[in-house]
């Protein structure tokens, strides 16, 4: 998959950073986008959720970095700080176990 960064705007003194990038159309999850739209989600959330799997694959492949821990921590932080509906620690542990089981099911054993 190719990932093309178009523009990053990070102005000192401003609280927001703007990222613009392009992904191949077939790299995004169209079914997820449709489901989220049907549930009334805003377009920014729809676009980010649809692109996140491709961005995760790209990050893991090119930078050998994992996103699961920081994503999980950001969700837990939202719950602790803002009291927003998110995920509690018990659900986080279950989610991680399910994620690891799914990952291991897709891995091929490596000969020693």
């Amino acid at each position: 998959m190719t990932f093309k960064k178009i523009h990053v705007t990070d102005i000192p003194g401003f609280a927001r950073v703007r990222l613009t990038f392009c992904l191949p159309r077939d790299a995004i999850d169209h079914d997820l986008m449709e489901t989220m739209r049907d549930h009334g989600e805003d377009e920014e959330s729809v676009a980010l959720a649809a692109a996140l799997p491709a961005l995760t694959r790209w990050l893991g492949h090119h930078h050998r970095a994992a996103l699961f821990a920081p994503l999980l921590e950001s969700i837990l932080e939202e719950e602790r700080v803002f009291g927003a509906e998110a995920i509690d620690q018990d659900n986080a542990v279950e989610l991680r176990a399910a994620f690891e089981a799914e990952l291991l099911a897709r891995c091929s054993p490596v000969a020693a």
Side-chain angles (χ1 to χ4, degrees):
M1 178 188 87
T2 58
F3 171 88
K4 183 178 177 189
K5 179 188 77 166
I6 303 297
H7 193 72
V8 176
T9 304
D10 185 7
I11 303 171
F14 282 78
R16 294 191 177 267
V17 175
R18 178 181 295 257
L19 306 172
T20 307
F21 57 90
C22 289
L23 292 171
R25 181 175 294 279
D26 62 350
I28 61 174
D29 189 333
H30 295 283
D31 293 334
L32 177 61
M33 290 176 73
E34 188 174 317
T35 300
M36 290 180 71
R37 285 183 179 127
D38 290 345
H39 284 94
E41 296 289 337
D42 61 273
E43 280 303 305
E44 286 102 5
S45 297
V46 170
L48 185 58
L52 190 57
L55 294 171
T56 303
R57 284 191 303 275
W58 180 84
L59 183 69
H61 179 76
H62 292 286
H63 295 285
R64 305 287 189 249
L67 274 181
F68 187 81
L71 280 174
L72 183 57
E73 182 55 33
S74 70
I75 294 168
L76 290 170
E77 180 71 15
E78 181 178 341
E79 176 83 10
R80 288 190 300 262
V81 175
F82 301 107
E85 281 188 36
I87 187 170
D88 63 23
Q89 186 65 39
D90 292 337
N91 286 336
V93 170
E94 284 181 35
L95 180 62
R96 176 147 196 149
F99 175 79
E100 289 174 351
E102 188 68 26
L103 182 64
L104 289 172
R106 294 169 188 259
C107 292
S108 300
V110 178

